[in-house]
Amino acid sequence: MSKLNPTEKKFENHIEKFLNLIEYKSIHFEKYDRTLCLIKDEVLDFIKKTQKNNWKKLQEIYAEDVENKVINRISSEISRRGVIDVLRNQVSDRGVSLDLCYFEPKSDLNPDHLKQFKLNQFSLVRQLHYSTKNENSIDMSLFLNGIPIVTMELKNQLTGQNFKHSENQYRFDRDPKEPLLQFKRVLVHFCVDNNQVSMTTNLKGGKTRFFPYNKDIENPPVENDYRSSYLWKEVLNPISLLDIIENFAHVSNEKEYYYNEEKQIVDTKKFDVQIFPRYHQLVLIRNLKEQ
């Protein structure tokens, strides 16, 4: 039985119901492999449906152990390279290259590409038991072809909590050393209440920085829905998310400079920053493209 407050559960139900309408399939958390950070059946089903010849080659190489070998390879590559790079640039196993998603074709000239694009499988898991150490769960997680891409902690303000409580949940109750929560393993972590949204791409315990993900300083009222509904109606729409993965999300290598008392640079430190577009950036660029 769920330990959720009935009002918080209602908020989850509302979001899940809408996502189900736009092609997200609900999956039980027991289907998720906590160590590999994959819904194995979904990953394998996508590959077998879309890349039959390559799957046959891998079967010839690995025989009965093919599923285990492929799943472990994909998981290790996501861990090493990050989810953005793997989704964009394939995974190679014993000389066989595998696509893990297909982006929307730029024209209708290639019907095979369009068919593959339509075979992308989006799914959601509520109360995802992600931990390899305990039974902690994240309110809702979104998957593309069995690969986790978004996590969300949800708060219904009628319970007396808001997105700030979600931020503290990520900071203090979610160990960033857990496989799923390590840097670059997913695209973004959202904190969501009825009215506002914030986000981060890098969990660092108590040092985690969250950024506003609102339409404005305050989100405008929405008739018969929550003010934060643009998140699941616009941003998390499957076509929107694929567009973000293909064209917007990226990892940037940054430099931090260290100075002495004379303000001379004495040392530098390189580090990666994973970028997920803020809402206003996304809208602005998409509007410019349509003009």
Side-chain angles (χ1 to χ4, degrees):
M1 182 178 293
S2 174
K3 296 179 181 179
L4 286 175
N5 180 293
T7 308
E8 188 171 320
K9 187 175 181 180
K10 181 181 178 182
F11 189 41
E12 278 194 26
N13 288 341
H14 178 85
I15 297 172
E16 179 184 29
K17 185 177 180 181
F18 181 83
L19 291 175
N20 288 158
L21 291 174
I22 57 171
E23 300 181 5
Y24 280 86
K25 177 172 65 174
S26 294
I27 294 178
H28 195 273
F29 70 80
E30 289 181 349
K31 294 288 186 179
Y32 174 75
D33 188 300
R34 305 184 195 195
T35 302
L36 298 176
C37 302
L38 298 170
I39 300 176
K40 295 190 289 186
D41 290 346
E42 291 285 290
V43 178
L44 294 170
D45 184 58
F46 173 75
I47 293 171
K48 291 174 184 179
K49 283 182 178 178
T50 60
Q51 297 154 88
K52 294 178 181 178
N53 290 337
N54 284 347
W55 183 253
K56 186 176 179 180
K57 291 177 183 177
L58 289 168
Q59 283 181 309
E60 292 170 355
I61 295 169
Y62 290 125
E64 294 180 357
D65 203 26
V66 60
E67 293 188 355
N68 182 54
K69 291 288 189 181
V70 170
I71 284 292
N72 277 277
R73 177 67 175 175
I74 290 170
S75 178
S76 65
E77 284 295 282
I78 296 172
S79 181
R80 183 176 70 87
R81 293 160 47 194
V83 67
I84 297 171
D85 188 51
V86 164
L87 288 173
R88 282 182 178 170
N89 298 308
Q90 303 182 317
V91 164
S92 181
D93 190 354
R94 299 286 292 271
V96 180
S97 295
L98 296 173
D99 290 303
L100 298 182
C101 76
Y102 290 103
F103 298 112
E104 187 172 17
K106 302 298 185 285
S107 71
D108 297 330
L109 298 178
N110 189 337
D112 289 337
H113 188 174
L114 181 62
K115 182 180 178 181
Q116 288 173 315
F117 168 71
K118 291 182 177 179
L119 288 173
N120 284 314
Q121 300 173 158
F122 282 83
S123 53
L124 69 88
V125 177
R126 286 178 59 173
Q127 298 303 314
L128 179 71
H129 292 246
Y130 65 90
S131 176
T132 57
K133 304 172 184 176
N134 53 54
E135 291 305 313
N136 283 353
S137 63
I138 292 174
D139 289 337
M140 189 174 291
S141 299
L142 307 183
F143 293 75
L144 168 57
N145 302 324
I147 298 169
I149 52 175
V150 175
T151 77
M152 294 188 284
E153 291 289 0
L154 312 172
K155 300 297 176 191
N156 191 325
Q157 287 164 287
L158 293 178
T159 67
Q161 295 190 320
N162 58 34
F163 76 98
K164 288 293 184 181
H165 293 88
S166 293
E167 291 181 356
N168 285 332
Q169 206 167 5
Y170 274 120
R171 284 190 180 106
F172 304 115
D173 299 333
R174 305 285 176 256
D175 183 357
K177 294 180 182 178
E178 291 277 7
L180 177 66
L181 304 183
Q182 293 176 12
F183 182 51
K184 298 194 291 187
R185 191 85 213 197
V186 300
L187 296 174
V188 63
H189 307 280
F190 282 118
C191 301
V192 189
D193 67 28
N194 310 140
N195 296 326
Q196 299 192 69
V197 182
S198 66
M199 58 149 279
T200 187
T201 60
N202 191 0
L203 296 176
K204 297 180 178 180
K207 296 181 180 179
T208 304
R209 293 183 64 194
F210 288 90
F211 301 92
Y213 204 84
N214 299 315
K215 285 188 168 185
D216 210 330
I217 296 174
E218 290 190 4
N219 288 315
V222 179
E223 186 175 356
N224 298 322
D225 210 339
Y226 299 104
R227 291 180 184 228
S228 56
S229 62
Y230 62 89
L231 178 66
W232 52 91
K233 287 184 173 180
E234 299 175 35
V235 180
L236 302 182
N237 181 292
I239 291 178
S240 170
L241 268 181
L242 284 167
D243 179 44
I244 288 170
I245 295 167
E246 182 182 21
N247 299 305
F248 295 94
H250 65 280
V251 176
S252 174
N253 188 255
E254 306 286 344
K255 278 186 180 181
E256 187 174 4
Y257 296 93
Y258 297 87
Y259 300 86
N260 60 18
E261 293 180 358
E262 287 76 34
K263 296 184 179 179
Q264 297 171 323
I265 297 174
V266 294
D267 198 7
T268 59
K269 179 183 177 182
K270 291 184 178 181
F271 59 97
D272 286 341
V273 176
Q274 183 165 292
I275 306 297
F276 188 91
R278 304 273 282 278
Y279 180 80
H280 65 279
Q281 295 169 331
L282 196 60
V283 171
L284 176 63
I285 295 172
R286 284 175 172 170
N287 286 342
L288 288 173
K289 282 185 175 181
E290 291 177 0
Q291 291 178 3

